[in-house]
Amino acid sequence: MVKRKTCIFISGQGSNLKNLIFRSRDKNFPITISLVISNNKNALGIEYAKKYNIPYTYINTSCKNYENKILLNLKKYKISFICLAGFMKIISSTLINNYQGKIINIHPSLLPKFKGLNTFSRMLKNKEKNAGCTVHYVNKKLDSGNTIVQKKFTINRKDNEKILKKKTQKLEYLAFPEAIIKIFRNN
């Protein structure tokens, strides 16, 4: 099996990155993580890149032409697939055009509900019965690309934002690898 050279974009803890690194060590998993890009130089997830000897770079997304820096890094490491794992920046159309159909994102809600930020507080405020996560293709509209995998659970009356986040992350660790396998099994 030829593994696809993949870049993981992060902004924070990197728990999905850690999970994907672990999964990518399996010879039957279709990707190898060749680069980590963060828009937060203090992202804890960078520690996973260091620990597992994966090249990483910080890109200041408030600078002009940051997309060009991203594209140069992606070309340098021969990246053919991108996973957004808690990347808290909207992807530019330049990047989307260069990687059409090759960028996926994991979102902590059952899309199309609760696109964007603050999903857990909005779910509770809305008295939702179900929560979960969605892995989807990235297009030019926020959290609107075609769904690849969705996983859900029932919200309990005692659940708060912290509990919802923990339950959602458990599902994310299953959904993200499942989506990647599904994509490359179909190619």
Side-chain angles (χ1 to χ4, degrees):
M1 168 191 280
V2 176
K3 290 185 167 232
R4 300 286 170 36
K5 289 187 173 203
T6 300
C7 179
I8 312 293
F9 284 47
I10 65 168
S11 293
Q13 302 290 319
S15 63
N16 272 299
L17 168 64
K18 179 184 176 188
N19 183 50
L20 290 176
I21 290 170
F22 176 75
R23 292 301 302 269
S24 70
R25 304 261 157 158
D26 179 337
K27 66 180 173 67
N28 295 316
F29 197 68
I31 67 167
T32 185
I33 299 169
S34 302
L35 179 64
V36 173
I37 290 179
S38 178
N39 66 333
N40 172 4
K41 63 183 168 202
N42 300 314
L44 294 176
I46 290 171
E47 295 306 313
Y48 296 120
K50 289 178 185 176
K51 181 177 178 180
Y52 294 100
N53 297 314
I54 298 167
Y56 64 92
T57 188
Y58 159 69
I59 304 277
N60 184 346
T61 52
S62 59
C63 286
K64 207 173 184 183
N65 296 328
Y66 76 89
E67 297 102 334
N68 292 336
K69 289 178 184 168
I70 290 174
L71 287 170
L72 285 172
N73 276 283
L74 295 174
K75 285 184 175 95
K76 177 181 175 183
Y77 291 96
K78 298 176 173 59
I79 300 300
S80 63
F81 190 66
I82 297 169
C83 296
L84 307 181
F87 188 64
M88 303 308 285
K89 176 79 177 167
I90 294 173
I91 296 295
S92 72
S93 57
T94 303
L95 191 57
I96 292 168
N97 291 339
N98 278 273
Y99 282 85
Q100 192 73 45
K102 294 180 175 34
I103 306 173
I104 64 172
N105 180 45
I106 190 151
H107 184 75
S109 79
L110 298 170
L111 292 174
K113 285 186 169 188
F114 307 109
K115 296 175 183 180
L117 302 174
N118 306 314
T119 55
F120 304 124
S121 63
R122 291 189 289 150
M123 282 178 209
L124 293 170
K125 190 175 178 184
N126 226 39
K127 298 188 183 343
E128 290 294 311
K129 291 184 178 11
N130 296 305
C133 64
T134 306
V135 182
H136 64 94
Y137 286 102
V138 173
N139 63 18
K140 291 177 184 172
K141 286 185 174 177
L142 179 68
D143 295 328
S144 297
N146 290 339
T147 295
I148 305 158
V149 169
Q150 205 166 51
K151 296 209 175 286
K152 72 178 182 177
F153 63 90
T154 303
I155 297 174
N156 294 325
R157 282 183 304 144
K158 294 178 183 174
D159 286 352
N160 58 29
E161 287 182 47
K162 194 174 179 180
I163 292 169
L164 288 180
K165 181 178 180 178
K166 199 172 262 187
K167 286 181 176 181
T168 301
Q169 282 180 321
K170 278 185 179 178
L171 288 184
E172 287 178 349
Y173 304 150
L174 300 171
F176 222 164
E178 185 181 314
I180 292 167
I181 290 166
K182 185 176 178 181
I183 289 165
F184 291 110
R185 186 178 46 212
N186 295 335
N187 280 349

